[in-house]
């Protein structure tokens, strides 16, 4: 689980800018991300909505966050967690005028409520109002996501899951496989630790290529490859990936074994991410692009390009 700065292998743009004297503010929904995204930020403001009430001047560059925002610290499983980030962002923007702000939301609502449902619409109208509020205050706003989201249910509306530990144990032997589901963290109420990406460590006696060949015949699996092949294709770090990578299709999630997932949490079915079907995300800026950046769009963008575009690529920017 990526929950500690010691796992980081690169600095961040906002940390680097802060070290060169730029006034930076980072606000995250969950505190685990605050520790990663705030790592290396110098003399900036950095806190999470989840632990807003714990923010201290010395460590977070700000205190009395709840008073500034006018809200109590929200529940972790709520739409208010993301809304708190945006409300706090607006207040920090007005009060401290940081040159660069990084606001990170949570996908709780997107997991629980499909597009077009009342709660989804309400949440997105709320986001839209905040984006408009930043725009009205003169901010250059860049909006992107780290993944999309799909329904992962069968025709009966129940989660469509391939239990990989169970399957591979039958093929290779129970103590020969270890399935890692990277979506797993302490917060699993909204997805039951079920996403569409898994990596599998195999006993050295097991032939990885053989496992790949067998998994390729399983319905619902969109991609399966060896470590080398998958790391080349998806730009992954080989030392952090198992012997085999497995990816479920747009409607299929990957689990370990039935007893390791509490499906009773998933009232109304499963919506999740991690697959190729969730790779396309929005990429939105509130200003016209400079000509050179307009040309780059045709070549294809990645979500992390939003930094370059927001900082350098828009009319009236830096
Ligand atoms: Zn998620």
């Amino acid at each position: 689980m990526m929950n500690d700065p010691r796992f980081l292998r690169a600095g961040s743009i906002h940390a680097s800018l802060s070290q060169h004297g730029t006034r930076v503010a980072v606000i995250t929904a969950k505190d685990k991300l605050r520790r990663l995204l705030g790592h290396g930020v110098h003399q900036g403001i950095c806190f999470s909505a989840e632990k807003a009430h714990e923010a201290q001047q010395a460590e977070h560059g700000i205190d009395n966050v709840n008073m500034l925002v006018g809200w109590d610290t929200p529940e972790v499983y709520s739409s208010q967690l993301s809304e708190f980030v945006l409300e706090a962002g607006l207040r920090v923007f007005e009060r401290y005028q940081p040159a660069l702000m990084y606001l990170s939301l949570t996908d709780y609502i997107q997991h629980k409520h499909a597009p077009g449902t009342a709660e989804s619409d309400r949440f997105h109208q709320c986001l839209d109002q905040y984006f408009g509020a930043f725009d009205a205050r003169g901010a250059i706003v860049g909006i992107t996501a780290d993944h999309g989201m799909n329904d992962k249910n069968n025709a009966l509306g129940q989660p469509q899951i391939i239990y990989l530990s169970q399957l591979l144990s039958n093929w290779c032997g129970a103590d020969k496989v270890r399935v890692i589901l990277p979506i797993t963290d302490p917060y699993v109420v909204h997805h039951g630790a079920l996403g569409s990406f898994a990596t599998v460590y195999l006993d050295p006696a097991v032939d990885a290529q053989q496992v790949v060949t067998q998994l390729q015949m399983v319905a619902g699996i969109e991609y399966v490859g060896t470590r080398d092949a998958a790391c080349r294709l998806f730009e992954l770090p080989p030392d952090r990936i198992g012997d085999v990578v497995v990816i479920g299709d747009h409607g299929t999630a990957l689990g370990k074994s039935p007893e390791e997932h509490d499906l009773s949490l998933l009232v109304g079915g499963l919506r999740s991410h991690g697959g190729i079907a969730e790779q396309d995300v929005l990429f939105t800026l509130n200003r016209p692009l400079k000509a050179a950046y307009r040309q780059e769009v045709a070549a294809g963008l990645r979500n992390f390009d939003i930094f370059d575009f927001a900082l350098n690529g828009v009319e009236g920017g830096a």
Side-chain angles (χ1 to χ4, degrees):
M1 180 167 58
M2 283 292 292
N3 61 351
D4 192 294
R6 71 193 156 93
F7 297 127
L8 295 173
R9 288 184 165 165
S12 69
I13 289 166
H14 48 268
S16 186
L17 282 169
S18 76
Q19 288 156 16
H20 287 84
T22 301
R23 197 195 252 290
V24 167
V26 175
I27 309 175
T28 65
K30 294 179 197 167
D31 204 57
K32 73 166 188 186
L33 263 188
R34 190 267 311 169
R35 279 183 283 151
L36 299 178
L37 292 170
H39 187 68
V41 171
H42 181 69
Q43 300 210 330
I45 292 170
C46 183
F47 62 93
S48 69
E50 180 187 0
K51 300 260 171 83
H53 53 286
E54 293 179 11
Q56 301 282 339
Q57 187 68 42
E59 188 187 345
H60 305 87
I62 190 169
D63 47 21
N64 292 322
V65 167
N66 297 93
M67 204 187 295
L68 176 70
V69 179
W71 296 9
D72 290 337
T73 300
E75 295 281 320
V76 167
Y77 297 114
S78 70
S79 69
Q80 285 80 34
L81 196 68
S82 289
E83 291 167 27
F84 189 103
V85 171
L86 292 162
E87 182 70 21
L90 212 49
R91 300 282 89 85
V92 166
F93 185 79
E94 290 167 338
R95 172 80 64 90
Y96 299 94
Q97 291 166 339
L100 176 67
M101 290 186 74
Y102 186 106
L103 305 180
S104 162
L105 310 182
T106 162
D107 61 0
Y108 172 76
I109 291 295
Q110 294 92 326
H111 273 285
K112 297 296 282 182
H113 303 279
T117 59
E119 180 54 20
S120 173
D121 284 353
R122 192 206 63 78
F123 181 67
H124 286 95
Q125 282 161 9
C126 177
L127 295 187
D128 202 39
Q129 281 172 7
Y130 279 111
F131 299 151
F134 281 106
D135 179 67
R137 285 159 178 76
I140 296 170
V141 184
I143 307 162
T144 189
D146 50 349
H147 55 74
M149 189 79 73
N150 277 306
D151 255 70
K152 308 274 179 188
N153 299 309
N154 61 23
L156 298 171
Q158 293 154 346
Q160 177 81 30
I161 305 162
I162 297 170
Y163 290 108
L164 284 175
S165 300
Q166 194 178 46
L167 191 65
L168 294 170
S169 294
N170 287 341
W171 291 350
C172 311
D175 52 351
K176 300 277 193 274
V177 299
R178 183 159 180 233
V179 174
I180 305 292
L181 306 174
I183 195 169
T184 310
D185 72 4
Y187 309 97
V188 299
V189 166
H190 47 320
H191 50 60
L194 293 159
S196 289
F197 185 95
T199 183
V200 186
Y201 288 85
L202 298 169
D203 185 280
V206 177
D207 179 0
Q209 189 55 56
Q210 176 69 35
V211 170
V212 168
T213 305
Q214 279 179 268
L215 283 172
Q216 276 167 343
M217 290 183 284
V218 176
I221 289 180
E222 178 162 5
Y223 172 87
V224 51
T226 59
R227 173 191 293 116
D228 286 354
C231 288
R232 262 198 313 276
L233 186 58
F234 299 116
E235 301 173 36
L236 297 168
D239 62 324
R240 290 178 174 179
I241 295 295
D243 299 285
V244 171
V245 166
V246 190
I247 298 179
D249 68 16
H250 69 95
T252 307
L254 304 174
K256 293 186 172 189
S257 55
E259 57 277 12
E260 290 174 271
H261 300 275
D262 184 359
L263 302 190
S264 71
L265 300 171
L266 304 173
V267 183
L270 172 65
R271 296 172 46 75
S272 198
H273 49 84
I276 295 163
E278 290 86 42
Q279 276 195 329
D280 285 346
V281 296
L282 80 173
F283 189 104
T284 305
L285 291 144
N286 66 335
R287 301 277 176 92
L289 295 178
K290 294 174 184 170
Y293 281 79
R294 277 203 297 275
Q295 285 163 15
E296 272 192 57
V297 174
L301 299 177
R302 302 284 294 276
N303 61 355
F304 47 76
D305 292 322
I306 201 86
F307 281 103
D308 183 26
F309 274 64
L311 291 169
N312 308 310
V314 297
E315 304 284 358

